[in-house]
Amino acid sequence: MKSYTPDRHIETALTEKDAKELDIIELFFFAYRDFTADPDMILEKLEFGRAHHRVLYFVNRKPGMTVAELLEVLKITKQSLARVLKQLIDTDHIVQIQGPRDRRQRELYPTRQGRRLALELAAPQSRRIANALEQLDLSDRTVIERFLRAMVNPAQWQQIDSLPK
């Protein structure tokens, strides 16, 4: 650890002059921290992490999605996905089958156990969202949905649109 010396300048905290919307950035950090806390505790008991959660979530939302589609949604490397996917397959949370039209494709499906875990992970997050929405006007939900969508790269909107409603 480096110690302070007079020739090393100590910076002050970021201010609104440095970057706009710091208050929103901070709310995102804190909201995400609390949004992921409950599922993290469940995942820890299984020796799983957030990557497992994301894979389970999307495979459960869109059963039959291919490995290539999942890689595109998650924006992770094949190597990262392979490790997580192997664990989820080995623990009977996901099954992988050869694509019926293209034998090179691998389609992913949740097992009963995988679906159960996905629901267990989603339940506290759904409660947190419902509790937050109860504090707002019903019209605010649309604004929140539009805001969050606008935060996503427009080139990726089709991924949102392809999920079941």
Side-chain angles (χ1 to χ4, degrees):
M1 181 168 90
K2 293 183 178 181
S3 60
Y4 171 75
T5 59
D7 61 318
R8 289 184 57 216
H9 182 72
I10 297 174
E11 292 291 328
T12 59
L14 289 175
T15 67
E16 287 291 333
K17 285 188 260 177
D18 299 314
K20 299 287 183 208
E21 310 300 350
L22 290 176
D23 52 344
I24 302 280
I25 293 168
E26 289 157 4
L27 286 171
F28 265 102
F29 278 122
F30 292 122
Y32 184 71
R33 177 198 64 195
D34 292 353
F35 183 72
T36 57
D38 293 323
D40 282 350
M41 287 189 292
I42 297 165
L43 292 162
E44 188 177 338
K45 292 174 189 169
L46 299 169
E47 298 183 4
F48 286 169
R50 289 184 185 163
H52 296 85
H53 185 186
R54 288 188 291 270
V55 169
L56 268 172
Y57 179 83
F58 284 106
V59 169
N60 272 277
R61 283 291 285 153
K62 195 173 176 184
M65 82 182 323
T66 65
V67 169
E69 289 172 323
L70 186 57
L71 285 168
E72 180 62 26
V73 166
L74 298 178
K75 299 290 186 198
I76 60 175
T77 65
K78 282 184 187 179
Q79 185 177 7
S80 295
L81 178 60
R83 181 187 59 77
V84 169
L85 197 52
K86 179 178 179 352
Q87 289 174 314
L88 289 168
I89 290 169
D90 290 349
T91 56
D92 196 35
H93 288 91
I94 288 180
V95 292
Q96 178 177 262
I97 65 167
Q98 194 173 49
R101 290 176 298 284
D102 184 344
R103 296 165 57 98
R104 294 169 296 174
Q105 285 187 331
R106 294 172 292 146
E107 294 179 353
L108 304 170
Y109 294 88
T111 63
R112 183 175 291 125
Q113 181 174 310
R115 186 175 191 287
R116 220 175 10 249
L117 178 56
L119 290 171
E120 182 182 357
L121 295 168
Q125 293 181 318
S126 292
R127 279 192 301 273
R128 185 174 294 279
I129 291 169
N131 290 339
L133 288 172
E134 284 176 6
Q135 298 175 38
L136 307 172
D137 276 337
L138 291 177
S139 63
D140 292 340
R141 180 188 179 108
T142 303
V143 171
I144 293 165
E145 289 172 351
R146 286 190 2 237
F147 171 78
L148 291 172
R149 183 181 179 94
M151 291 284 295
V152 174
N153 181 338
Q156 305 303 316
W157 286 353
Q158 89 282 353
Q159 292 175 337
I160 297 167
D161 297 337
S162 74
L163 295 170
K165 299 292 178 217

